[in-house]
Amino acid sequence: MKGWRSARAPLIWVALALAIGVPVALAATSEQLAWRGPVYILAGFTGIIALGLVLVQPLLIGGYLPGLSAYRGRRAHHWIGGALVVAVVIHVAGLWITSPPDMIDALTYASPTPFSPFGVTAMWAIFIVALLALLRRRLGLRLRTWRVIHIPLAIVIVAGSVVHCLLIEGTMEAISKAALCALILLAAAKVMADLWRRRALRGESVAREQAKAD
């Protein structure tokens, strides 16, 4: 039991690295890359990295990554959020450079490709969360209000990113892509369930204290 506990932390980090690294590595072996220019390839791989960061975010905020205190987990969550914004901007900018008409159609929800609206919606949700996080203190958003805003947007980000990725038939290998998307959904669902459970426990505790006071 003690040996498992000591090995558990590095195994979790290795599993996370494989979950993100394997899809990236397999995408790098795709035959489709031979027909793509460097800007398009950069845009595609930053999209894959952004998807990996979407997996990291709930793991951080849920405290599931060993070796990180609650404070460090929250700080890392903020920094990874910033990195996610940068990755999305590079992804969109690269696609814009390679094909402006296609990106205009995508951003205006006029694209015939089924995956575009999901990716664009997730993009706007990411930008809104990042902007509100930067302005949270100036806007005076309390933690409860922030969660009411952030959680639905996080669901949009997760769902939009996963559907966007699964519908694209590109350089990503099918099995590793599906596995990464499944892990993202599981991590997000786990965080939501834990948050709901904690709120329920706090509500029960408050109710007991009020009953004692009465």
Side-chain angles (χ1 to χ4, degrees), residues 56-75:
V56 176
Q57 287 294 70
L59 297 177
L60 286 170
I61 207 64
Y64 308 136
L65 296 179
L68 294 175
S69 64
Y71 172 77
R72 289 183 177 180
R74 288 193 299 270
R75 295 302 299 171

Side-chain angles (χ1 to χ4, degrees), residues 43-198:
F45 275 89
T46 51
I48 301 173
I49 292 170
L51 188 68
L53 297 180
V54 172
L55 170 61
V56 176
Q57 287 294 70
L59 297 177
L60 286 170
I61 207 64
Y64 308 136
L65 296 179
L68 294 175
S69 64
Y71 172 77
R72 289 183 177 180
R74 288 193 299 270
R75 295 302 299 171
H77 182 80
H78 295 159
W79 284 105
I80 294 297
L84 178 58
V85 170
V86 172
V88 170
V89 168
I90 295 173
H91 178 64
V92 172
L95 294 177
W96 180 284
I97 291 171
T98 56
S99 182
D102 288 340
M103 281 308 302
I104 291 173
D105 287 345
L107 293 173
T108 57
Y109 291 92
S111 175
T113 55
F115 55 80
S116 292
F118 295 99
V120 172
T121 301
M123 178 195 73
W124 290 124
I126 289 170
F127 290 166
I128 292 170
V129 169
L131 181 61
L132 289 176
L134 287 174
L135 300 177
R136 180 181 167 188
R137 292 184 179 180
R138 292 185 180 181
L139 295 174
L141 295 178
R142 296 181 179 180
L143 180 59
R144 180 176 297 181
T145 305
W146 168 246
R147 285 177 175 174
V148 169
I149 298 171
H150 185 22
I151 290 176
L153 287 172
I155 294 173
V156 171
I157 292 169
V158 168
S161 300
V162 166
V163 176
H164 176 69
C165 177
L166 291 176
L167 289 177
I168 295 176
E169 295 182 5
T171 57
M172 291 189 74
E173 188 272 332
I175 296 177
S176 62
K177 176 173 70 173
L180 176 56
C181 290
L183 289 173
I184 291 171
L185 293 175
L186 288 172
K190 171 66 172 171
V191 169
M192 299 298 175
D194 285 351
L195 288 175
W196 180 86
R197 190 178 299 111
R198 291 169 190 170

